Amino acid sequence: MLFRSIELKMTIDFKESVLGCKKEIKYSRKAKCSTCDGIGELHINNGCTVCGGKGKVTAQQRGIVFISTCPKCQGRSNTKVCHSCKGDSTLQTDVSIHVSIPAGVCDGNTLRLQNMGNYAGSIMGFVEQYTDAFCHITVLPQDDLKIDGKNVVSIFAVPLIDALRGCTRTVKTIFGEKEIEIKPQSRNRDEIIIPHLGVAGVGDQKVILDVQYPQNTDKLISVLVDEVI
């Protein structure tokens, strides 16, 4: 049996990636066959009243399970291929689980879902083992908003004259448009902080000013001179 992990894909929007979310995901995996209990074959009762045809008996002492040859039939056992799994010991099964996406996950990140892959056998016939599933995350972009550590970062273009005068503008955030104040004499790459609009609602949103310089500086100078006068 090949114990292969499962590769899954999930798409979330940008706000979900910033705040975190819980998503349902459905997929198919190889689960242990319940008919033969993952053995791949069925025992034919040989008439033994002790082991029921299995040829072995189990006993537990101080939490330890011991398996030994049946003392009555001396291990005589007849089997046939399981009619459900055809001897594979697994059945293709549809599953549905809810996955917690942590706040701050980025496009291209992969989440490991432990023990949510294919059936990989059992230990001593009791502890089931499954491979892992790996969920690859795609984050839908939103208007040039980016995650940087615990913060959300956006670039906001502002004409030079507005940066010099100061003004009030609206910018996009994960909760829609918010108003910011651009102070007089603001410079290129200055940052304006909007509190608690970052990762998990703990980080901030940083608005980085991109001051746009006009092609005709003479006209700008004329406007500024007139305002001074």
Side-chain angles (χ1 to χ4, degrees):
M1 185 191 304
L2 293 177
F3 302 148
R4 293 180 178 176
S5 59
I6 292 179
E7 305 295 326
L8 304 170
K9 295 181 180 180
M10 179 184 293
T11 299
I12 61 176
D13 62 39
F14 186 77
K15 182 177 179 179
E16 290 173 326
S17 75
V18 174
L19 300 180
C21 60
K22 182 171 286 188
K23 290 284 190 178
E24 182 183 21
I25 185 169
K26 298 179 180 180
Y27 62 99
S28 180
R29 70 173 182 172
K30 288 184 176 292
K32 184 179 76 170
C33 176
S34 58
T35 302
C36 64
D37 202 31
I39 299 174
E41 57 186 17
L42 299 172
H43 291 281
I44 302 174
N45 198 326
N46 61 4
C48 180
T49 57
V50 175
C51 69
K54 294 181 179 180
K56 296 182 181 299
V57 293
T58 59
Q60 186 170 347
Q61 185 176 3
R62 295 181 180 179
I64 302 175
V65 177
F66 298 93
I67 301 176
S68 59
T69 301
C70 177
K72 184 174 182 179
C73 66
Q74 299 301 312
R76 180 166 52 87
S77 175
N78 295 323
T79 60
K80 64 179 180 179
V81 174
C82 176
H83 58 83
S84 295
C85 66
K86 304 298 188 292
D88 184 64
S89 78
T90 64
L91 291 174
Q92 202 69 29
T93 306
D94 293 330
V95 296
S96 176
I97 61 173
H98 286 86
V99 179
S100 294
I101 309 297
V105 68
C106 295
D107 184 60
N109 284 173
T110 298
L111 301 180
R112 178 189 177 191
L113 308 179
Q114 195 169 9
N115 301 322
M116 295 309 301
N118 294 309
Y119 180 64
S122 60
I123 301 176
M124 301 294 289
F126 292 94
V127 181
E128 296 182 8
Q129 291 183 304
Y130 280 82
T131 63
D132 297 331
F134 294 90
C135 187
H136 305 284
I137 305 297
T138 296
V139 179
L140 299 176
Q142 179 181 321
D143 300 318
D144 299 325
L145 297 179
K146 305 293 183 184
I147 291 178
D148 182 17
K150 293 295 183 182
N151 300 314
V152 171
V153 176
S154 61
I155 308 296
F156 186 73
V158 56
L160 176 60
I161 191 169
D162 290 338
L164 294 175
R165 289 171 171 169
C167 60
T168 300
R169 293 290 183 267
T170 57
V171 297
K172 292 184 178 180
T173 74
I174 58 173
F175 291 110
E177 292 189 341
K178 297 290 183 180
E179 195 172 81
I180 62 170
E181 180 184 356
I182 300 175
K183 295 181 179 180
Q185 306 301 317
S186 290
R187 298 181 179 183
N188 191 49
R189 306 300 296 178
D190 279 356
E191 294 182 359
I192 299 174
I193 305 299
I194 308 177
H196 310 308
L197 291 187
V199 172
V202 176
D204 304 321
Q205 178 166 333
K206 292 183 178 181
V207 182
I208 301 176
L209 298 182
D210 179 18
V211 177
Q212 306 288 301
Y213 289 79
Q215 294 182 350
N216 188 347
T217 55
D218 291 338
K219 183 178 180 179
L220 174 64
I221 293 173
S222 176
V223 171
L224 294 175
V225 169
D226 290 341
E227 289 184 358
V228 173
I229 294 175

